[in-house]
Amino acid sequence: MTQYVYGKNVVHQLLKEQKRIYEVIVSEGLKDRELIKALKQRHLTIRSMPRKQMDRLLKTEHHQGIAACIDDYKTYSLEELLETIPEGKTPFLIMLDNLEDPHNLGAILRTCDAVGADGVILAKNRSVSLNPTVAKVSTGAIDTVKVAVVNNLSQTLVRLKEKGFWAVGADLERSIDYREADFTVPLVLVVGSEGFGIRPLVRKNCDYCVRLPMVGTITSLNASVACGILLYEVFNQRDHR
């Protein structure tokens, strides 16, 4: 199966990583000479198209005048993901419980790449998939951060804990300040959906939960913002200087 992904950063990353590209569509009058030159150097099939026609094909106006037809993004099983973690490295995984907004997933993948996380775990059902919007927002991290898709998040937490992982959820209720947690252990960080947080059964299988202190009138943060703060606390505690 193939799909169209769009955006200049996405296409640049595809070219950088020598990904197989079946076709490139550019809007008529695209003025990015360097990008056009790079495409021609790869001897790729380039098709020019009116902007409005591209909008209809891609179902968005935010494609920056360029799109590429590629294979669907690869996902992994839990076992395959674990096998890719370098020997001797303290594992760090992120589990997203029913995250539905592709912009949030793209932003989280981008931060995961920045801090060197080993991968992201999504549920097969009722969760955002690796789609063109995720690719564009991630600015290439969709290709560098491995994503495992599993049938049951709660059972996956049980399996990870059997392998020595600590499961830490992000939740306001019955939780400790995130700065008091020990993130230097093998870790799976669980972040909930935008509107409902972590589901009860998933939370039940967490060893404990952490919260971000807030002193304003707003009682919650965007999922990708909250996740980003926690990811950098893990990065800070593991001392990557």
Side-chain angles (χ1 to χ4, degrees):
M1 296 288 290
T2 60
Q3 63 177 327
Y4 282 103
V5 294
Y6 46 79
K8 293 180 180 180
N9 286 333
V10 172
V11 175
H12 273 300
Q13 189 69 22
L14 293 173
L15 293 172
K16 180 180 178 182
E17 298 189 357
Q18 300 288 310
K19 293 286 186 179
R20 182 174 183 178
I21 301 174
Y22 296 97
E23 176 189 48
V24 177
I25 298 175
V26 298
S27 64
E28 294 177 350
L30 182 68
K31 301 185 186 301
D32 194 325
R33 294 180 180 178
E34 289 189 9
L35 183 53
I36 296 296
K37 181 180 178 181
L39 295 171
K40 290 181 176 179
Q41 287 175 341
R42 284 277 304 273
H43 305 290
L44 296 169
T45 300
I46 303 174
R47 181 158 56 109
S48 182
M49 184 179 291
R51 183 94 185 191
K52 293 294 185 182
Q53 188 176 345
M54 282 190 72
D55 295 348
R56 291 192 297 271
L57 174 66
L58 303 173
K59 298 181 176 61
T60 180
E61 298 178 357
H62 306 293
H63 45 69
Q64 298 181 306
I66 189 163
C69 182
I70 63 171
D71 292 316
D72 284 339
Y73 284 105
K74 178 177 174 57
T75 58
Y76 299 79
S77 67
L78 178 64
E79 290 72 21
E80 289 171 333
L81 178 58
L82 293 175
E83 287 173 0
T84 66
I85 300 175
E87 186 175 354
K89 182 179 186 293
T90 304
F92 177 30
L93 301 174
I94 296 87
M95 176 180 285
L96 302 176
D97 184 14
N98 283 7
L99 196 76
E100 298 177 346
D101 187 340
H103 294 87
N104 274 336
L105 177 55
I108 288 171
L109 289 175
R110 187 172 180 176
T111 311
C112 285
D113 176 86
V115 302
D118 295 301
V120 170
I121 301 171
L122 300 175
K124 183 176 182 180
N125 299 315
R126 293 185 297 175
S127 179
V128 64
S129 60
L130 299 184
N131 60 37
T133 301
V134 175
K136 184 175 186 296
V137 176
S138 77
T139 63
I142 195 171
D143 286 310
T144 62
V145 179
K146 294 177 174 59
V147 176
V149 177
V150 300
N151 290 322
N152 188 294
L153 295 182
S154 297
Q155 292 177 7
T156 299
L157 283 180
V158 172
R159 291 168 63 189
L160 287 171
K161 289 163 68 173
E162 290 173 348
K163 294 178 180 293
F165 281 78
W166 281 76
V168 178
D171 196 22
L172 287 174
E173 301 296 327
R174 303 190 305 281
S175 56
I176 64 172
D177 189 305
Y178 77 104
R179 294 165 294 188
E180 299 174 4
D182 179 6
F183 291 140
T184 63
V185 297
L187 178 69
V188 52
L189 177 66
V190 185
V191 177
S193 66
E194 298 85 357
F196 302 100
I198 302 173
R199 290 173 298 158
L201 188 56
V202 175
R203 191 191 194 287
K204 182 179 179 181
N205 283 287
C206 292
D207 292 299
Y208 63 92
C209 287
V210 295
R211 67 180 180 274
L212 300 175
M214 290 176 282
V215 298
T217 57
I218 307 302
T219 59
S220 65
L221 292 172
N222 174 279
S224 64
V225 172
C227 188
I229 294 170
L230 295 172
L231 289 175
Y232 264 94
E233 178 63 18
V234 177
F235 184 81
N236 176 60
Q237 288 193 20
R238 295 187 179 195
D239 193 8
H240 291 269
R241 289 174 294 177

